[in-house]
Every structure is written in structure tokens, then in C-alpha cells.
Amino acid sequence: MKKKEKKIYERPLIRPLNASISNKFGRRTEWLPLTHIDGIPVVDLINEFGSPLFVYSEKKIRDNFMMAKRAFETRYPKIQFAWSYKTCYLNAVCNVYHQMGSWAEVVSGFEYEKALQNGVPGDKIIFNGPDKSKHDLLLAMKNNTLIHIDHFDELYLLTELASSSKSKPRVAIRINMDTGVYPQWDRFGFNYENGQAWEAVNKILMNDALDLVGIHTHIGTFMMTPSAYAVATAKMTELAIQIKKKFNHIITYIDMGGGFASKNTLKGSYYAGADAVPDIGEYAEAITSALLNAGFDRNNLPFLYLETGRALVDDTGFLLGTVLANKRLADGRRATILDFGVNTLFTSFWYDHKISPAQEMGHYAEETILYGPLCMNIDVVRDAISLPPLKPGQHVVAQYVGAYNITQSMQFITFRPAVVMIDREGRSHLIRKRESLDYVQKNEILPSHLKKLNW
Ligand SMILES: *Cc1c(COP(=O)(O)O)cnc(C)c1O
């Protein structure tokens, strides 16, 4: 017979009235416990791999990707996804996408080399970004990579390299534009409205050095309005059609970039992200309708490339952590100190992350401020969250942390934690080790005159 579990004792306390905002659904119920991830107890994961710990669900990555692919493929016949490396470039995560047919989208020489090492063929890599060295460009040309030109200086350099190497690199130009969402992202690429984009097209097509195969835009990130994509796609298709008219030159693909919102909750938003953000189908509808309406020749439809990042991966990642201590602040608020902070959970600067207890708790909840372990005033993981009183040693799970945390985290004060992936059979794999002192100091060099200490 199963032994009856003893109820947890929670001491009574006097709660100060706190006039925090509740939305129309009442208070957010973040304290519902999350005890397992893909069938594995959170406690077991922490016991095996340590705390804090990032965990990715391979099943969720695959499910999300299939859903996005279906949303686009059922609306438009020529689709290609390219995984945005900077969103999460752990090789295990990248290779799940690559196994499912996703190309690579990179924004630096470092990411480019990473994609090549992961086994992505050079001609299935999209090379974006304002920072491509001469070395990067030569390598990309050699590998027949799609080079997305960001500015005129890059265009001139590439033209020069192409002319002296007698190869004709495949290029696209990045275009920025007014989509009705402000502030406008105009620092990358060539502007549509002021004629810069045309100037770039003219320069490329009047000269035979580069092969203009595509046009690219990435209108912003965490875009909450699918209609902005409809506006952007209409402008992109218009450009492609006018290029055909003027130069009798066919643009083979239109790359609409990334930027679809994930289910996270932006700071200060009234609704929780999961209730507020558009479904991937709404973005697909906006983009593909504009493409189908544009008036392309049926036999010459351009490919639609997508570089979706956060919307695919954010909810596939979890950060498990442990309570270090509790304290009362001077104004009576409860404060809980966790073993992960803003160094690890970088995106807590702009999201109110959903953070849940990892064990069954009582039903009493109190507004709490969650601090990280850093000796730094800015280390606030959540500035107000309704949680049951957690005890030192108990665990929490931060959800929707799969995008931009691994790639932006840093070794500020502490090591970066290990990362585990749970496969579809429920087996856990260590995909990145926790850092060590040796690892962090590997590239340090101590000048010999500083080696000797005289106490
Ligand atoms: C960052 C980036 C993406 C991915 O953006 P998400 O907002 O994560 O979807 C795609 N394309 C380019 C050019 C980027 O810089």
C-alpha cells in the first residue's frame, strides 16, 4: 500500500496589502507547480546535472517546427526555413532543425563556421548581418553561400572580390522599410522608401559581378502585429515585380526574416503572452496572402524563406533552479533569492518570465520579488510574482526561456550552467557541460612579472 504523504507545514504570516494589478482573469496562477519535463521529474534532473540547469525538449522543438511548417506549406507551395543561429546556437538544438530540413541563418563569421561544422552545406546557409570580414566573404563565395548584403560598403567590397576571383557570388540585399510599426528598424540594410534599395539593385544589375538571387527583410523582433508582415510582403513583392519589369531579371526568393512573437509576456503587458500573441497561422496568412496577391507568374513563383527564431524555440527551453534563501524587505515584501540571475536568464530584462514551483505546494500565495544570486542590485529575475512561500532547497522552473538566453548569457560572477536535452524517448542528454574555472580561464595569460606574490 502506498504510504500517505505528509502535508507540508507552512507557518502562518501576516500579509501586507499590496495593490498590484490583476487582469480580467484575476491573478495569474503561476504558482501551479511544474514537477516534470517530458516525463522526467525536475528533482531528478537537478540531482543528476546540478542546479541551475537549462533543459530543452526535443519533442517540443520538433512539434513547433512541424506546426509552423504546416502553417506555411498549406498556404504557399514554395517554403524554406533557415534556423536563426543567434536565437540558440547549441549544436544539438541546431541539428534538430537541420534534421527537419531547416537551413542555417547566420550573422557572423563565428556562426558561419559553426553552421559549416554542423554539416550544413555552404549553399544552404544564409549569411546576414553588417559584420562580414573579407575572409568571411571569400569563404562564403567559395562555398556558394547566399550572401545578404547589408550596406553599400559591403556591396563594393564584394564586387571587388568577385571581379578579382572570377566567381559570381549569389547575393540578396537586405531591405528595411516602414511597416506601420515604430520605432522602424532602419539600421540594417537598404531603405525601401527613400530609394536606397533601388540604388543597390541598380548597382548590382548594371554590373555583372554579382548574381542577385533574392531580396531579404527582417522587420523587427517580437512583432505582435501580423499586418506589419502583410505590408512588408507587399513592398517586397512589388520590388521583385518591378525588378523583373526593368531588368527582365527574376528574383528567385523573398526572405521575410524572423520576428514572430513567442508566448512570453513582455514587461508591462496587460495579458499574459500566451493569451496575447498571434498564432503562427496569422503570420503565415498575412505573408502568403500578400505573396499570392502580388501578381507573380504562376510558373515563376518566388520561394518564401523564413528565418523564424524565438517563436519556434522559446517554449522548448526551461531553466531549473533552487531557492537559496528568503528575506523580508524593509517595506514588508517577501524576497526569494534563486541560484540563477540575470546573467543566466538574460531575457528577464524585458520579459516577465513564467516561474513555477517544481514541487506540490500549499494554496497560499504571496506577492514575491525574485532575486538572482549576484551581488548586484540589478539582479532581479521578477519584480512581482504571486508564489507560494518557497523554502531554501526547493526548486523552481522558469518557462519559455529557449530563445536568446543561452546565446546572451555570460560568466558574470558565476559559471554558466549545464544544458540538457530530453529526446523523444524521454532520455536526457547532456548537450553542454557546466563551465569550470579552467574553461573560463583558458584564454587568460598572466604576465610573468605578476606571477609572484609577496605576502
Ligand atoms: C535575429 C534574427 C532573426 C530571428 O529573429 P526572431 O525574432 O528570433 O524570430 C532572423 N533574421 C535575422 C536577420 C535576425 O537578425
Side-chain angles (χ1 to χ4, degrees), residues 84 86-87 105 107 128-129 174 185 216 218 220-222 257-260 307-311 404:
S84 156
K86 77 170 186 298
T87 310
E105 184 272 329
V107 292
N128 280 318
R174 171 140 178 197
W185 272 32
H216 169 232
H218 171 62
T221 196
F222 213 98
F260 307 153
E307 304 167 348
T308 315
R310 69 176 74 235
Y404 295 103

Side-chain angles (χ1 to χ4, degrees), residues 156-414:
Y156 304 142
L157 175 59
L158 194 58
T159 303
E160 188 189 326
L161 295 175
S163 309
S164 54
S165 78
K166 295 202 195 75
S167 68
K168 197 170 177 182
R170 297 189 305 151
V171 303
I173 51 167
R174 171 140 178 197
I175 295 163
N176 68 67
M177 65 188 78
D178 184 351
T179 60
V181 174
Y182 308 102
Q184 196 179 322
W185 272 32
D186 57 2
R187 61 168 284 187
F188 302 109
F190 304 93
N191 186 254
Y192 181 85
E193 286 83 12
N194 72 6
Q196 232 177 37
W198 263 113
E199 215 181 306
V201 169
N202 291 339
K203 282 191 159 87
I204 294 171
L205 290 177
M206 291 293 191
N207 184 332
D208 207 29
L210 310 175
D211 185 11
L212 184 68
V213 288
I215 48 178
H216 169 232
T217 191
H218 171 62
I219 59 174
T221 196
F222 213 98
M223 303 294 285
M224 299 283 280
T225 42
S227 63
Y229 285 93
V231 173
T233 311
K235 288 185 176 177
M236 295 289 276
T237 55
E238 174 63 14
L239 185 64
I241 284 168
Q242 293 306 324
I243 290 172
K244 169 81 167 57
K245 277 205 183 125
K246 182 168 173 186
F247 293 98
N248 197 29
H249 178 88
I250 289 175
I251 294 295
T252 63
Y253 69 86
I254 294 180
D255 182 342
M256 291 305 297
F260 307 153
S262 71
K263 303 253 180 289
N264 244 308
T265 305
L266 284 174
K267 275 191 189 301
S269 75
Y270 180 68
Y271 293 110
D275 303 320
V277 302
D279 180 75
I280 196 103
E282 295 176 56
Y283 296 107
E285 189 63 28
I287 292 172
T288 58
S289 302
L291 275 169
L292 294 170
N293 275 324
F296 286 113
D297 176 2
R298 191 165 160 239
N299 301 315
N300 264 321
L301 274 184
F303 262 93
L304 168 60
Y305 288 4
L306 294 154
E307 304 167 348
T308 315
R310 69 176 74 235
L312 292 179
V313 84
D314 218 7
D315 67 352
T316 72
F318 303 82
L319 178 58
L320 322 186
T322 304
V323 173
L324 299 178
N326 289 299
K327 51 169 75 169
R328 286 273 157 208
L329 300 181
D331 63 4
R333 267 181 309 159
R334 182 183 178 88
T336 294
I337 305 169
L338 302 173
D339 64 352
F340 61 81
V342 294
N343 55 331
T344 306
L345 195 62
F346 194 85
T347 57
S348 51
F349 286 119
W350 53 88
Y351 292 143
D352 279 341
H353 283 290
K354 180 169 176 160
I355 298 179
S356 315
Q359 54 280 308
E360 296 299 333
M361 305 289 297
H363 280 259
Y364 173 75
E366 184 185 357
E367 186 157 299
T368 306
I369 177 162
L370 293 181
Y371 290 128
L374 307 180
C375 203
M376 257 314 256
N377 208 33
I378 55 158
D379 193 20
V380 181
V381 174
R382 282 288 305 264
D383 47 19
I385 180 171
S386 177
L387 278 176
L390 290 152
K391 293 190 180 69
Q394 288 189 316
H395 303 301
V396 296
V397 182
Q399 293 165 73
Y400 312 135
V401 304
Y404 295 103
N405 285 301
I406 301 279
T407 44
Q408 290 186 291
S409 62
M410 60 185 116
Q411 299 99 340
F412 179 57
I413 301 185
T414 57

Side-chain angles (χ1 to χ4, degrees), residues 412-425:
F412 179 57
I413 301 185
T414 57
F415 298 124
R416 294 190 296 172
V419 188
V420 162
M421 181 181 277
I422 302 176
D423 70 19
R424 285 173 290 173
E425 276 77 51

